[in-house]
Amino acid sequence: MKANELQINNFLQSPNVQFVIPVYQRNYDWKIVECKELLNDIISVETEKRGTHFIGSIVFVHEGTYSTSEVKELVIIDGQQRLTTINILYVALYRFAKENNRPNDAERLYNMFLTNQYVQNESSKLKLKQTDNNSLAFKAIMLGTEKGFVSFSNVTENYNYFRSYIDENNFETILKGLNRLIFVEISLERDKDDPQRIFESLNSTGLDLSQSDLIRNFILMDLPPRDQNRIFETIWNPIEENAKDIVKQSSLVSDFIRDYLTLRNKKIPNKNNVYAEFKSLYSNKKEDAYHQELENIKSLSVHYKKLVNPIVVDNPSIRKELEYINRLEINVAYPFLLQVFEDAENGLLSNEELIKILKLIQSYAWRRFILGLPTNALNKIFMSLYAEVDTEEYYDSIAKVLLKKRGSAKFPTNEDLKTALNDKDLYNTQPKNRNYLFELLENFNNREFVNTNNEQITIEHIFPRNPNDDWSDDLSAEEYFLFKEKYLNTIGNLTLSGNNGALGNKSFLAKKEMNNDGKEEGYNYSRLWLNSYLKSLDRWNVKNYEERLKIIYERFIKIWEYPNIVIAENEELEEQNLFDIDSPKNKKLEYYIFENTKVEENTIAQMYCNILRNLYEKNSQLLVSNQSTFKITKNPNDFRSPQEISNGWYVEFNIDSNTKFACLKRLLILFQLEDELYVKYSSDTDNKSEPSRFSIRKKYWQQLLPLVKDTDLFSNVNPTKDHWLSSGAGTAGVTYTFVISKTYVRIELTILTSSKEINKMYFKKLLYNKENIENSFGDEIVWEELPDNKMSRIKIEMQGVNIFNISDWEVMNSFLVTKLPKFEKAFSPFIKNLK
């Protein structure tokens, strides 16, 4: 066996060589998404002049020194997907050159990379030799006859993608990028090496880098040694320590980064794609924004430690609610809670409000469990929930968003619960759910905590699972049937007991009055709240069951409250599943969520095109092979108004919105993605609706930003829906911030690194120069260390204006635009000296 690092170009242009894909290899199955990633890597390695880009290894078997064949056959046993894809890309480049008056380029590509120019045997002509249907597809793209090739093949689909992308502007860039690709060539010699054993070893070593390993390497690898050590000690090592399960001593860094990316991008990355998503965000690691974001990630990791290890939380009330969220495994709420806890640390909400929010999340998730609503809807809800938070009405804004959910995302009402509790089997459910239910029911407003997880306390059926003959005498035949078949495992018939074994299948009175020398006692002697009503009864029948169910229900809705928030009739609803939402006629979109990705788009037509393209990229064969479900062809003349989706495939576009929705529903069923498309109509659709606070804020920022002069601050900042807008001050963790509210407008210097100690140190350094700064600014400035919070701030403020009163906008604009350059000039010299 020989292993060498080579340029892929040198490998492909070896003379009289044929790369053979044997029949036992899996089919060529790379799709457009993988091709797109490879092409992006090829272009970026050239445009960024990064030297080389490593694409992995190619393992092949050759026949040894004494082969008498006209060409040397290299049988590919690992790496065929990459090798085939690069060959397809070279065909696309060759065809572009041939069709665009580049004869020299076409000849060079054809003879050096695609064919063995001087061989006589036709079967040895192509350098890539495939042995299945893909060989016909590959020959078709070489000859330019792919349009007549009717069979579906990823070879032709990927060729069409590459060919549609290549143009005069990027042709040379792609060629040069290909020159920078390197791989490890592993050459095996037949009869000397064991290819199968080596192949198994390569693919089963268990040494694949984790997503967190890749991210760590990305952050640290190309830094000078001194900076590597600093970033590792101050940023990465704290992240690794925080993102860890303390009990299991297992790393959760990949999970944490995934939750961070979900919060940041409003998109849930695939678990195997966390590194790629992270890397795509930071093309320039030298920018201040990148280092600021590393500080932010470190800061959020502190809260992640609390979420996964509630034991580290000092406040007992917060710790208890986090333990409950952990026990219910509401992990999908972590991205949302990361920022909520960060806001709490910065004083934007009190501990009391934080506890209310943690209870709200439990109420929402637990009520949905009782109703049997799908849990996968929670992913999309919590993915984008923080974007709807109004920090001026923190709890209320979150509750409103959840209350406006409909369909499979709804917040179950008290009436919903009353019906569900009468039917829900709460005995045959996961132990964690049973334990949670009984612990909270028993301990509500109980000053003396009862440990319902005590192994001596077990769940007792009042009407037993295997009743003795006394129950037939005590109940009518109809009641006996109802208890046996309908009510047996519902909460109205369940209680807790320390004597479950002794109570067994006895009659109700025997269970109630049992007392064996004070050791085995019945309901009359129980201190548990769940048994208090039973003490007053002489018999257990349907009437008493219903009364007890009512008592438990009333306690239930006090524990898992329905938010006491009024939703105005004209307030817009939140996003809904495509299968639940009203007709789209005369509607505009605000956004849609497809497969855990939120897309802001205002036209149904564009959403329709986007979804079709997503489905095509996901599985083009499934889309184009089901003509009875959805008509898509390569002939634009088949339609009145053809619209190209991808790679020369067309659909009819002259259809109304209702028909577009109907088509999408059929396709989502075909792709088994019924729960993956959520749609939010714009409030502007309904003229009765008042513009939301978010849209008003965004409109304010849109009109303000062009007015900012005499400073580069905010020049690269986009309008948002938030009540604040920040611009970097040149030091990580320090920003200039505009704040707008119902009562004031403010400019502040926000000091918010991941470390409270550093923030206070920066504040004190600036405060030391207070006189010089205020003299430069020409007025007094308000200095707020905020000793109880992580952040500190220094601000100037105008009171008596309201963002929601448009007549105030002019004076607000004047304050911000006039004061900002002076504010920056006063602080800038001293900010540079903070580090």
Side-chain angles (χ1 to χ4, degrees), residues 603-653:
T603 68
I604 289 169
Q606 189 58 52
M607 181 190 78
Y608 180 67
C609 282
N610 292 348
I611 299 296
L612 291 181
R613 291 189 178 107
N614 289 147
L615 295 177
Y616 178 86
E617 287 192 15
K618 178 179 289 293
N619 191 332
S620 51
Q621 185 171 6
L622 182 60
L623 183 66
V624 305
S625 301
N626 285 271
Q627 295 294 325
S628 59
T629 300
F630 183 72
K631 187 171 178 60
I632 177 171
T633 75
K634 286 204 166 186
N635 184 2
N637 296 323
D638 288 346
F639 304 111
R640 290 174 299 168
S641 179
Q643 171 70 40
E644 184 178 6
I645 296 303
S646 189
N647 274 357
W649 290 97
Y650 291 87
V651 300
E652 177 59 67
F653 204 62

Side-chain angles (χ1 to χ4, degrees), residues 478-722:
E478 181 182 0
E479 286 185 313
Y480 188 95
F481 175 82
L482 283 172
F483 275 117
K484 187 75 174 173
E485 300 299 328
K486 183 177 181 182
Y487 300 147
L488 181 66
N489 294 317
T490 62
I491 189 62
N493 189 55
L494 299 176
T495 188
L496 295 174
S497 172
N499 305 292
N500 196 6
L503 295 174
N505 62 355
K506 293 181 175 64
S507 69
F508 177 76
L509 278 177
K511 288 186 175 191
K512 175 186 173 186
E513 297 173 354
M514 184 180 72
N515 188 348
N516 296 330
D517 298 325
K519 296 178 181 178
E520 294 177 338
E521 299 176 325
Y523 304 144
N524 274 347
Y525 306 95
S526 173
R527 294 184 295 110
L528 299 177
W529 175 85
L530 280 162
N531 292 323
S532 56
Y533 174 67
L534 299 178
K535 297 177 185 180
S536 67
L537 303 178
D538 294 324
R539 58 189 303 226
W540 186 241
N541 56 21
V542 169
K543 178 184 176 184
N544 290 335
Y545 163 85
E546 290 175 344
E547 180 61 26
R548 183 171 185 263
L549 181 64
K550 180 182 176 183
I551 292 170
I552 291 175
Y553 158 76
E554 289 172 351
R555 191 174 180 91
F556 191 110
I557 62 175
K558 291 176 182 175
I559 300 170
W560 295 282
E561 289 183 311
Y562 190 79
N564 185 23
I565 303 292
V566 177
I567 305 293
E569 289 185 10
N570 63 354
E571 282 200 56
E572 70 272 17
L573 296 176
E574 295 304 306
E575 73 271 0
Q576 291 181 259
N577 186 285
L578 185 74
F579 290 83
D580 298 325
I581 202 162
D582 294 338
S583 166
K585 186 177 181 181
N586 299 324
K587 301 283 200 316
K588 288 184 179 180
L589 299 183
E590 184 174 327
Y591 61 81
Y592 67 89
I593 300 174
F594 182 61
E595 286 200 301
N596 298 328
T597 301
K598 183 176 180 180
V599 180
E600 295 191 359
E601 174 55 59
N602 60 12
T603 68
I604 289 169
Q606 189 58 52
M607 181 190 78
Y608 180 67
C609 282
N610 292 348
I611 299 296
L612 291 181
R613 291 189 178 107
N614 289 147
L615 295 177
Y616 178 86
E617 287 192 15
K618 178 179 289 293
N619 191 332
S620 51
Q621 185 171 6
L622 182 60
L623 183 66
V624 305
S625 301
N626 285 271
Q627 295 294 325
S628 59
T629 300
F630 183 72
K631 187 171 178 60
I632 177 171
T633 75
K634 286 204 166 186
N635 184 2
N637 296 323
D638 288 346
F639 304 111
R640 290 174 299 168
S641 179
Q643 171 70 40
E644 184 178 6
I645 296 303
S646 189
N647 274 357
W649 290 97
Y650 291 87
V651 300
E652 177 59 67
F653 204 62
N654 187 20
I655 54 177
D656 61 30
S657 295
N658 280 320
T659 306
K660 289 185 174 76
F661 270 33
C663 289
L664 289 176
K665 288 176 183 177
R666 292 198 300 272
L667 289 173
L668 292 175
I669 292 171
L670 175 66
F671 278 74
Q672 298 183 332
L673 297 171
E674 296 95 320
D675 294 325
E676 296 299 332
L677 180 56
Y678 283 72
V679 176
K680 169 70 166 64
Y681 292 139
S682 170
S683 59
D684 295 339
T685 302
D686 185 353
N687 293 329
K688 296 178 184 178
S689 297
E690 291 293 325
S692 72
R693 62 189 183 280
F694 297 118
S695 62
I696 290 174
R697 289 171 185 158
K698 189 168 185 177
K699 287 177 181 176
Y700 179 78
W701 297 129
Q702 286 171 334
Q703 60 85 41
L704 173 73
L705 289 176
L707 304 178
V708 177
K709 308 291 184 184
D710 303 322
T711 175
D712 291 330
L713 294 176
F714 297 95
S715 59
N716 295 315
V717 176
N718 294 318
T720 72
K721 299 185 292 184
D722 297 314

Side-chain angles (χ1 to χ4, degrees), residues 306-574:
K306 303 170 191 172
L307 300 182
V308 297
N309 303 290
I311 193 172
V312 305
V313 177
D314 293 330
N315 185 302
S317 298
I318 296 174
R319 181 170 64 246
K320 180 180 70 173
E321 300 307 330
L322 282 179
E323 286 170 348
Y324 288 147
I325 286 174
N326 248 338
R327 283 164 58 179
L328 288 177
E329 297 178 353
I330 315 176
N331 301 13
V332 292
Y334 286 177
F336 166 69
L337 288 175
L338 285 174
Q339 192 60 52
V340 172
F341 270 79
E342 177 72 1
D343 288 348
E345 191 166 6
N346 290 321
L348 296 179
L349 70 157
S350 65
N351 282 343
E352 290 71 26
E353 286 180 297
L354 178 58
I355 292 167
K356 280 182 66 178
I357 291 167
L358 295 176
K359 287 183 174 180
L360 175 67
I361 289 172
Q362 290 174 69
S363 292
Y364 181 56
W366 186 243
R367 283 172 173 248
R368 289 171 55 80
F369 167 76
I370 297 296
L371 259 67
L373 293 174
T375 57
N376 59 356
L378 296 176
N379 291 334
K380 301 166 189 64
I381 292 161
F382 286 111
M383 173 187 76
S384 56
L385 182 57
Y386 186 78
E388 306 298 323
V389 170
D390 184 344
T391 53
E392 295 184 272
E393 300 174 350
Y394 215 109
Y395 172 84
D396 286 2
S397 65
I398 297 168
K400 276 187 178 182
V401 171
L402 295 179
L403 289 177
K404 289 190 287 185
K405 301 291 182 186
R406 294 294 181 269
S408 61
K410 70 179 290 187
F411 198 129
T413 64
N414 292 345
E415 287 302 312
D416 293 330
L417 278 179
K418 186 180 289 186
T419 303
L421 286 172
N422 196 44
D423 301 320
K424 181 77 172 178
D425 183 340
L426 286 166
Y427 181 75
N428 293 305
T429 186
Q430 291 179 284
K432 67 180 179 67
N433 292 332
R434 283 203 310 263
N435 294 340
Y436 172 77
L437 169 66
F438 284 105
E439 180 174 321
L440 270 71
L441 276 177
E442 182 60 41
N443 287 293
F444 177 67
N445 283 345
N446 188 350
R447 293 183 180 179
E448 187 176 347
F449 180 80
V450 177
N451 181 10
T452 57
N453 291 322
N454 185 326
E455 61 183 21
Q456 295 180 341
I457 298 178
T458 57
I459 296 175
E460 148 78 358
H461 287 77
I462 302 170
F463 177 93
R465 286 179 287 175
N466 297 298
N468 65 18
D469 294 340
D470 292 338
W471 285 95
S472 298
D473 299 331
D474 293 343
L475 296 172
S476 68
E478 181 182 0
E479 286 185 313
Y480 188 95
F481 175 82
L482 283 172
F483 275 117
K484 187 75 174 173
E485 300 299 328
K486 183 177 181 182
Y487 300 147
L488 181 66
N489 294 317
T490 62
I491 189 62
N493 189 55
L494 299 176
T495 188
L496 295 174
S497 172
N499 305 292
N500 196 6
L503 295 174
N505 62 355
K506 293 181 175 64
S507 69
F508 177 76
L509 278 177
K511 288 186 175 191
K512 175 186 173 186
E513 297 173 354
M514 184 180 72
N515 188 348
N516 296 330
D517 298 325
K519 296 178 181 178
E520 294 177 338
E521 299 176 325
Y523 304 144
N524 274 347
Y525 306 95
S526 173
R527 294 184 295 110
L528 299 177
W529 175 85
L530 280 162
N531 292 323
S532 56
Y533 174 67
L534 299 178
K535 297 177 185 180
S536 67
L537 303 178
D538 294 324
R539 58 189 303 226
W540 186 241
N541 56 21
V542 169
K543 178 184 176 184
N544 290 335
Y545 163 85
E546 290 175 344
E547 180 61 26
R548 183 171 185 263
L549 181 64
K550 180 182 176 183
I551 292 170
I552 291 175
Y553 158 76
E554 289 172 351
R555 191 174 180 91
F556 191 110
I557 62 175
K558 291 176 182 175
I559 300 170
W560 295 282
E561 289 183 311
Y562 190 79
N564 185 23
I565 303 292
V566 177
I567 305 293
E569 289 185 10
N570 63 354
E571 282 200 56
E572 70 272 17
L573 296 176
E574 295 304 306

Side-chain angles (χ1 to χ4, degrees), residues 99-332:
E99 295 160 12
N100 287 273
N101 197 29
R102 287 174 170 262
N104 293 336
D105 287 325
E107 182 179 359
R108 182 174 64 85
L109 290 166
Y110 183 81
N111 290 323
M112 289 182 68
F113 299 105
L114 299 172
T115 64
N116 292 306
Q117 184 177 6
Y118 298 111
V119 300
Q120 296 180 357
N121 191 334
E122 190 62 30
S123 66
S124 301
K125 193 76 173 175
L126 285 179
K127 286 197 169 186
L128 182 67
K129 182 179 181 180
Q130 295 163 299
T131 52
D132 58 8
N133 187 51
N134 287 321
S135 65
L136 300 176
F138 193 85
K139 288 176 182 177
I141 64 173
M142 283 286 293
L143 297 172
T145 59
E146 69 276 2
K147 290 183 180 178
F149 187 77
V150 293
S151 299
F152 182 90
S153 172
N154 282 316
V155 169
T156 54
E157 294 299 310
N158 294 343
Y159 164 78
N160 286 333
Y161 165 70
F162 285 137
R163 182 65 185 81
S164 66
Y165 188 89
I166 297 168
D167 58 28
E168 287 290 346
N169 294 323
N170 60 32
F171 177 83
E172 293 291 341
T173 301
I174 296 171
L175 280 178
K176 292 176 181 177
L178 282 163
N179 284 330
R180 294 178 182 269
L181 298 188
I182 61 170
F183 74 106
V184 171
E185 170 202 58
I186 301 178
S187 170
L188 311 178
E189 189 168 338
R190 200 175 299 281
D191 299 329
K192 292 185 178 180
D193 300 306
D194 185 341
Q196 182 63 31
R197 181 170 295 178
I198 292 169
F199 178 79
E200 290 175 356
S201 177
L202 284 167
N203 287 274
S204 63
T205 58
L207 295 176
D208 288 346
L209 291 175
S210 70
Q211 297 294 298
S212 60
D213 289 331
L214 292 167
I215 293 169
R216 181 187 62 223
N217 290 351
F218 172 75
I219 291 173
L220 300 172
M221 187 175 290
D222 56 357
L223 294 174
R226 184 176 176 182
D227 288 344
Q228 271 188 7
N229 292 334
R230 179 178 58 82
I231 295 294
F232 178 80
E233 293 296 333
T234 61
I235 299 290
W236 186 257
N237 196 45
I239 289 173
E240 286 196 327
E241 287 301 310
N242 289 329
K244 179 188 293 183
D245 185 316
I246 292 176
V247 175
K248 297 177 181 177
Q249 283 297 297
S250 57
S251 173
L252 299 173
V253 174
S254 295
D255 294 331
F256 163 61
I257 297 294
R258 186 172 185 242
D259 287 338
Y260 152 74
L261 290 171
T262 300
L263 170 67
R264 188 189 189 283
N265 297 341
K266 304 178 187 65
K267 172 185 176 182
I268 304 174
N270 183 285
K271 286 186 177 181
N272 296 322
N273 203 37
V274 172
Y275 164 65
E277 291 279 349
F278 183 88
K279 177 183 173 184
S280 68
L281 293 177
Y282 307 113
S283 57
N284 186 350
K285 295 191 288 182
K286 295 181 180 179
E287 292 181 350
D288 287 341
Y290 168 70
H291 294 282
Q292 173 65 43
E293 201 58 38
L294 290 181
E295 286 284 345
N296 186 40
I297 295 170
K298 174 186 169 184
S299 187
L300 294 176
S301 75
V302 173
H303 308 306
Y304 192 77
K305 182 176 184 177
K306 303 170 191 172
L307 300 182
V308 297
N309 303 290
I311 193 172
V312 305
V313 177
D314 293 330
N315 185 302
S317 298
I318 296 174
R319 181 170 64 246
K320 180 180 70 173
E321 300 307 330
L322 282 179
E323 286 170 348
Y324 288 147
I325 286 174
N326 248 338
R327 283 164 58 179
L328 288 177
E329 297 178 353
I330 315 176
N331 301 13
V332 292

